[in-house]
């Protein structure tokens, strides 16, 4: 695990996730960008996925 991944894991455990797109907060289910580290709620992720801007990755 890289430093960046470890840092993001700690942030996810400490701070509630907020969707960068719509601003929904305290997300229990969310998607995290593997490159930028920002979070998307399922609805915003689906919207981006339909437009082929986002794609679901593999769990590690």
């Amino acid at each position: 695990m890289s430093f960046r991944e470890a840092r993001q894991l700690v942030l996810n455990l400490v701070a509630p996730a907020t969707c960068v797109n719509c601003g929904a907060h305290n997300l229990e289910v969310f998607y995290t960008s593997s490159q930028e580290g920002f979070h998307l709620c399922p609805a915003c992720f689906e919207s981006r996925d339909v437009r082929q801007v986002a794609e679901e990755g593999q769990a590690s």
Side-chain angles (χ1 to χ4, degrees):
M1 177 180 293
S2 72
F3 173 77
R4 185 168 184 246
E5 291 169 328
R7 183 177 137 269
Q8 190 62 46
L9 179 61
V10 169
L11 289 174
N12 290 346
L13 294 173
V14 174
T18 300
C19 179
V20 72
N21 198 44
C22 71
H25 52 82
N26 295 330
L27 299 172
E28 291 185 24
V29 176
F30 55 90
Y31 295 86
T32 303
S33 166
S34 61
Q35 294 182 356
E36 301 298 324
F38 61 78
H39 306 300
L40 290 172
C41 68
C44 289
F45 177 84
E46 184 65 31
S47 172
R48 288 183 179 210
D49 189 37
V50 167
R51 293 181 297 159
Q52 298 179 345
V53 177
E55 63 182 46
E56 190 165 357
Q58 293 180 294
S60 50

